[in-house]
């Protein structure tokens, strides 16, 4: 097992341990009239503050059980389906005001739980949530990959809230600037000299997908293409960073009208290059047993995604596409070589028009 696999496995184990359900016995909950209030008055704000203060004290100073209970209580309040926008914003604002100690705590458990809570928050009131976004940014730069992962999930969730409110006609001020800052933070992380752990990459790319602007999509497919080189250097590097977002973006593109041809071209170029690389590495016996199942799953996903995107572009699949999964399971590399050769013809033609060297694994 290589260092990347060990790091990934350790992070997953930590995530599992931290997300064990907390007990709610004795937890202090707010009355429904506050949660459902359309306007939070001073008295209600004081009641919310008392509950937040108690929960944050347990989150920062409590033992593992108290910490779990505090996290669960805050998530229940933030995720209450009866909660109004006014309540969610007031609760989030008061949590954020107390969150600095948690996000800067010496304990990884505390910092992790802080990011989980931040992933459900809305903003800091007055339509300006830069305070808690700065706290999330600290998680992005944390030394622990599980904390980083939840920080990007918090960022993705915040973008989803902004976009949902924008569609409802009450979006935050300066939304474009906020979204641009998210793109910048993702780029800073993914462009650093030492590539992030794949489970961090996954959430970072999902944040770009949630932004869902032309700039974000262009940035996303750019990162997908640039990361082919990392997998070419290390055949045992997990595809956890790319597979999920390829699947989701392909599904979206296939159904969208008007069709986003630029994103479709960029995604299919990346998917083809990953597929070509994996087949070449498999034929050479370069993929270790620890990563083989993951790599074959990625290969299958890339071929399936190319088919979805091509269908959205009104382009027919190659003749061997239906048998791709069977060919992967049976390690029929010659059949997959032929399938990829047919895909290359399609991708070089309209409406994709990708140059031949652009389909190369080592393409610039």
């Amino acid at each position: 097992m290589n260092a990347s696999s060990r790091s990934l496995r350790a992070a997953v184990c930590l995530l599992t341990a931290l997300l064990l359900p907390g007990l709610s016995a004795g937890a202090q909950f707010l009355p429904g009239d506050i949660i459902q209030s359309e306007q939070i008055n001073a008295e209600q704000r004081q009641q919310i503050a008392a509950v937040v203060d108690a929960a944050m004290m347990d989150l920062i100073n409590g033992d593992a059980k108290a910490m779990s209970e505090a996290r669960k209580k805050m998530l229940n309040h933030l995720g209450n389906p009866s909660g109004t926008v006014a309540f969610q914003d007031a609760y989030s604002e008061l949590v954020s005001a107390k969150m600095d100690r948690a996000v800067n705590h010496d304990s990884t458990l505390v910092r992790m739980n802080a990011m989980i809570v931040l992933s459900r928050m809305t903003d800091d009131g007055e339509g300006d949530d830069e305070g808690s976004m700065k706290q999330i940014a600290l998680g992005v730069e944390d030394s622990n990959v599980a904390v980083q992962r939840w920080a990007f999930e918090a960022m993705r969730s915040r973008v989803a809230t902004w976009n949902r409110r924008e569609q409802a006609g009450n979006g935050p001020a300066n939304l474009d600037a906020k979204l641009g800052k998210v793109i910048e933070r993702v780029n800073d992380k993914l462009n650093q000299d030492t590539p992030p752990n794949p489970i961090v990459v996954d959430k970072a790319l999902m944040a770009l997908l949630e932004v869902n602007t032309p700039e974000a999509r262009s940035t996303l497919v750019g990162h997908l293409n640039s990361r082919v080189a990392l997998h070419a250097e290390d055949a045992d590097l997990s595809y956890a960073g790319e597979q999920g977002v390829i699947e989701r973006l392909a599904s979206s593109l296939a159904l969208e009208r008007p069709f986003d041809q630029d994103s479709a071209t960029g995604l299919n170029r990346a998917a083809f290059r990953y597929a070509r690389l994996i087949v070449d590495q498999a034929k050479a016996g370069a993929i270790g047993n620890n990563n083989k199942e993951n790599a074959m799953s990625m290969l299958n996903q890339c071929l399936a995604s190319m088919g979805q995107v091509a269908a959205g572009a009104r382009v027919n699949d190659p003749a061997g596409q239906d048998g791709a999964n069977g060919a992967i399971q049976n390690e029929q590399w010659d059949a997959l070589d032929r399938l990829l050769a047919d895909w290359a013809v399609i991708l070089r033609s309209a409406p994709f028009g990708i140059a031949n060297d652009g389909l190369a694994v080592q393409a610039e």
Side-chain angles (χ1 to χ4, degrees):
M1 183 181 295
N2 64 12
S4 174
S5 297
R6 288 194 298 270
S7 178
L8 177 62
R9 187 173 184 177
V12 171
C13 290
L14 177 58
L15 286 168
T16 302
L18 290 171
L19 293 177
L20 288 174
L23 302 176
S24 58
Q28 183 183 359
F29 289 95
L30 290 162
D33 62 330
I34 292 180
I35 293 172
Q36 298 171 25
S37 177
E38 294 294 341
Q39 186 172 356
I40 302 298
N41 60 38
E43 181 181 352
Q44 292 172 326
R45 188 178 179 84
Q46 287 182 340
Q47 293 182 63
I48 297 172
V51 172
V52 167
D53 287 351
M56 288 300 298
M57 187 66 68
D58 284 342
L59 189 74
I60 295 169
N61 299 321
D63 58 18
K65 177 181 174 181
M67 191 186 306
S68 181
E69 290 176 346
R71 183 195 72 229
K72 183 177 181 181
K73 180 172 63 176
M74 286 191 280
L75 294 181
N76 284 342
H77 281 138
L78 289 164
N80 192 316
S82 300
T84 62
V85 169
F87 168 74
Q88 291 171 348
D89 287 353
Y91 195 95
S92 295
E93 178 187 354
L94 290 165
V95 170
S96 180
K98 300 286 185 177
M99 188 61 81
D100 281 348
R101 284 181 62 195
V103 299
N104 290 289
H105 205 278
D106 290 341
S107 168
T108 301
L109 288 171
V110 173
R111 301 196 308 275
M112 163 66 85
N113 277 286
M115 291 302 138
I116 295 173
V117 172
L118 284 165
S119 74
R120 296 281 187 88
M121 286 169 51
T122 56
D123 64 23
D124 292 346
E126 304 299 328
D128 180 7
D129 63 350
E130 186 57 29
S132 60
M133 283 298 286
K134 287 181 179 178
Q135 293 165 344
I136 292 170
L138 288 175
V140 166
E141 299 305 323
D142 196 274
S143 59
N144 181 272
V145 297
V147 177
Q148 294 173 30
R149 176 187 185 275
W150 271 104
F152 275 116
E153 172 57 19
M155 197 175 291
R156 184 210 62 77
S157 178
R158 190 63 52 84
V159 172
T161 298
W162 293 339
N163 286 338
R164 185 169 59 251
R165 291 188 177 184
E166 181 72 10
Q167 291 171 3
N170 59 347
N174 303 318
L175 177 59
D176 289 345
K178 290 175 180 290
L179 295 176
K181 191 68 173 178
V182 170
I183 296 172
E184 179 183 336
R185 282 172 171 153
V186 172
N187 276 335
D188 287 345
K189 191 66 176 179
L190 297 188
N191 290 334
Q192 64 187 23
D193 291 340
T194 302
N197 188 285
I199 67 169
V200 177
V201 175
D202 169 49
K203 293 300 182 181
L205 294 179
M206 288 294 186
L208 288 178
L209 186 64
E210 199 73 58
V211 172
N212 201 33
T213 61
E215 180 187 0
R217 283 195 171 181
S218 176
T219 302
L220 171 56
V221 297
H223 283 301
L224 287 173
N225 273 287
S226 67
R227 287 182 60 81
V228 174
L230 298 178
H231 292 275
E233 293 173 4
D234 181 1
D236 290 330
L237 178 64
S238 170
Y239 286 98
E242 300 89 4
Q243 185 171 346
V245 78
I246 286 176
E247 179 180 12
R248 286 188 55 183
L249 180 56
S251 297
S252 296
L253 289 171
L255 299 175
E256 283 181 357
R257 292 295 179 269
F259 188 68
D260 183 356
Q261 186 62 58
D262 287 344
S263 297
T265 298
L267 177 59
N268 265 14
R269 175 177 176 245
F272 177 89
R273 294 174 65 220
Y274 282 116
R276 180 69 272 171
L277 171 65
I278 293 168
V279 170
D280 289 345
Q281 288 175 334
K283 288 167 61 180
I287 303 173
N289 289 334
N290 290 326
N291 197 46
K292 188 171 183 179
E293 182 178 354
N294 175 249
M296 294 305 105
S297 177
M298 177 65 165
L299 173 57
N300 188 56
Q301 182 61 64
C302 286
L303 291 169
S305 293
M306 284 194 286
Q308 282 183 290
V309 173
R314 305 289 195 262
V315 173
N316 293 328
D317 290 341
Q321 179 74 359
D322 289 343
N325 186 42
I328 293 169
Q329 292 180 351
N330 294 311
E331 300 187 358
Q332 296 173 335
W333 309 127
D334 289 344
L336 290 165
D337 278 336
R338 291 191 294 272
L339 176 58
L340 287 172
D342 290 342
W343 267 117
V345 172
I346 291 171
L347 296 178
R348 286 195 297 263
S349 305
F352 298 105
I354 303 172
N356 195 51
D357 58 356
L359 294 175
V361 168
Q362 299 294 346
E364 292 295 328

